[in-house]
Amino acid sequence: MAGTNLTTLVEFILLGFSDLPNFQGFLFGIFLMVYITILIGNGLIILVTKVSRTLHTPMYFFLGNFSFLEICYTSVTLPNMLANLWTNDRHISFLDCSIQLCFLLILGGTECLLLAVMAYDRYVAICKPLYYPLIMNHKVCVQLVVASWTTGIPVMIGQTYQVFSLPFCDSNKLNHVFCDIPPLLKLACSDTSVIELSVYVVAVLFVMIPFLWIIRSYVKIIITILKLPSNTGKHKAFSTCSSHLVVVVLFFGSATITYSRPKTNNSGGTNKILSLFYTIVTPMFNPMIYSLRNKEVIGALKQLLAK
């Protein structure tokens, strides 16, 4: 133990779905279709929000950025998962694992903040409609997006450094589909209580606070909507918010459960399923959730496809 250092471990083995040897080809096909769906669906959202003039509003500006984020977020993990399933080579170097975790944390933190920004946008649009063009002008929108993308970078780099400063001397087999904090902490052969505490602190800053902000925004939105005299107005207001709420529940729910118990026993299978929700399921359903319930997006897509 005293002589153990980072040079004793040069790679990890991602076990992934190795316990299902007869389904490797099937899983590869499923995840490949999911990845293609994510790229096409979110790519169309980005394109249509850029091309269609009717969608040049703050809500769709944030939606376009969110779709781009989903493509980046998924691309951190899914290509490597596909390669592992296709080649059955589950080795990942120490450096590659740390880079994957760092980008996963940075983009995950960005998603939390961007979802909070989108909730604030809906709050201003519904609760303060007369001031909406003034408050959510283009400069403010750009600043909010830039802040969402950059705020977590130093924090997440520090979090990654903390995790990979641990000595891994018992095993290099990660019971997960990609490099993530909970399975990495299980492999550490030293006390991880300090790092677990830092994980909780970061989770509060980048998950809990944005989530509470979203809840606060929607409480005020619902109160305002219920005061509207017209049922048509109520339906329209609810329809513009319900899509965002579905994405919030999917992403925050699965991520919170996973990171609220970083080193629990016998939870490898559960963590795999939950991790797929916030890294794959949400990005896949994002275009469907936002477009199927939005007549403006559907109309813009039809015009784009017609051209």
Side-chain angles (χ1 to χ4, degrees):
M1 291 289 288
T4 302
N5 55 50
L6 296 179
T7 61
T8 60
L9 188 68
V10 295
E11 65 179 10
F12 293 102
I13 299 175
L14 288 168
L15 297 180
F17 299 102
S18 58
D19 54 335
L20 301 170
N22 297 326
F23 293 91
Q24 298 299 295
F26 174 74
L27 290 172
F28 175 82
I30 292 295
F31 285 126
L32 180 60
M33 286 190 293
V34 167
Y35 190 43
I36 292 172
T37 301
I38 290 169
L39 293 178
I40 294 175
N42 286 286
L44 281 174
I45 293 292
I46 295 170
L47 184 61
V48 76
T49 54
K50 289 290 184 182
V51 172
S52 177
R53 291 187 176 274
T54 58
L55 301 184
H56 287 179
T57 62
M59 182 174 77
Y60 297 109
F61 173 73
F62 293 132
L63 179 58
N65 275 275
F66 187 70
S67 294
F68 176 69
L69 172 63
E70 296 288 53
I71 290 175
C72 296
Y73 192 45
T74 310
S75 297
V76 173
T77 57
L78 251 181
N80 187 64
M81 287 171 57
L82 290 170
N84 291 346
L85 289 168
W86 181 256
T87 63
N88 285 321
D89 181 8
R90 307 183 188 282
H91 295 79
I92 183 170
S93 70
F94 190 89
L95 178 61
D96 288 344
C97 189
S98 62
I99 291 173
Q100 186 183 63
L101 177 63
C102 188
F103 277 101
L104 186 73
L105 294 177
I106 289 172
L107 295 174
T110 301
E111 182 151 348
C112 293
L113 295 176
L114 196 53
L115 284 170
V117 167
M118 293 169 77
Y120 175 70
D121 172 69
R122 291 298 82 209
Y123 159 73
V124 177
I126 293 173
C127 299
K128 300 181 179 181
L130 296 178
Y131 297 97
Y132 183 67
L134 182 64
I135 296 174
M136 301 303 293
N137 59 68
H138 183 68
K139 182 179 179 181
V140 170
C141 292
V142 171
Q143 289 174 340
L144 288 171
V145 167
V146 171
S148 298
W149 278 89
T150 59
T151 300
I153 291 177
V155 178
M156 300 311 181
I157 290 175
Q159 186 92 87
T160 304
Y161 176 78
Q162 275 190 316
V163 172
F164 282 91
S165 294
L166 291 168
F168 301 99
C169 51
D170 291 336
S171 171
N172 68 337
K173 294 181 178 179
L174 277 173
N175 187 22
H176 209 51
V177 289
F178 52 82
C179 293
D180 205 356
I181 293 178
L184 283 166
L185 293 185
K186 288 182 180 180
L187 297 185
C189 53
S190 66
D191 182 25
T192 61
S193 57
V194 174
I195 294 181
E196 286 188 48
L197 179 61
S198 73
V199 170
Y200 289 132
V201 171
V202 171
V204 168
L205 292 174
F206 288 91
V207 180
M208 189 56 64
I209 292 177
F211 181 69
L212 292 175
W213 176 266
I214 292 170
I215 295 299
R216 176 180 177 273
S217 298
Y218 274 102
V219 167
K220 293 189 175 184
I221 286 172
I222 291 170
I223 292 172
T224 302
I225 290 175
L226 292 176
K227 292 179 181 178
L228 294 175
S230 168
N231 288 330
T232 304
K234 289 180 182 179
H235 180 267
K236 184 177 180 181
F238 271 122
S239 66
T240 60
C241 299
S242 58
S243 302
H244 183 250
L245 271 177
V246 172
V247 174
V248 166
V249 171
L250 281 174
F251 179 78
F252 279 96
S254 55
T256 300
I257 294 172
T258 301
Y259 282 91
S260 64
R261 45 172 195 167
K263 205 177 179 182
T264 53
N265 294 323
N266 303 319
S267 59
T270 304
N271 281 344
K272 287 179 190 178
I273 300 300
L274 289 171
S275 66
L276 292 179
F277 265 92
Y278 64 81
T279 57
I280 295 175
V281 175
T282 302
M284 181 179 66
F285 284 111
N286 170 48
M288 303 177 197
I289 291 169
Y290 279 106
S291 61
L292 292 178
R293 297 182 59 84
N294 193 308
K295 292 181 180 179
E296 290 180 327
V297 173
I298 292 174
L301 279 171
K302 286 180 179 178
Q303 291 180 2
L304 180 65
L305 293 174
K307 290 180 181 180

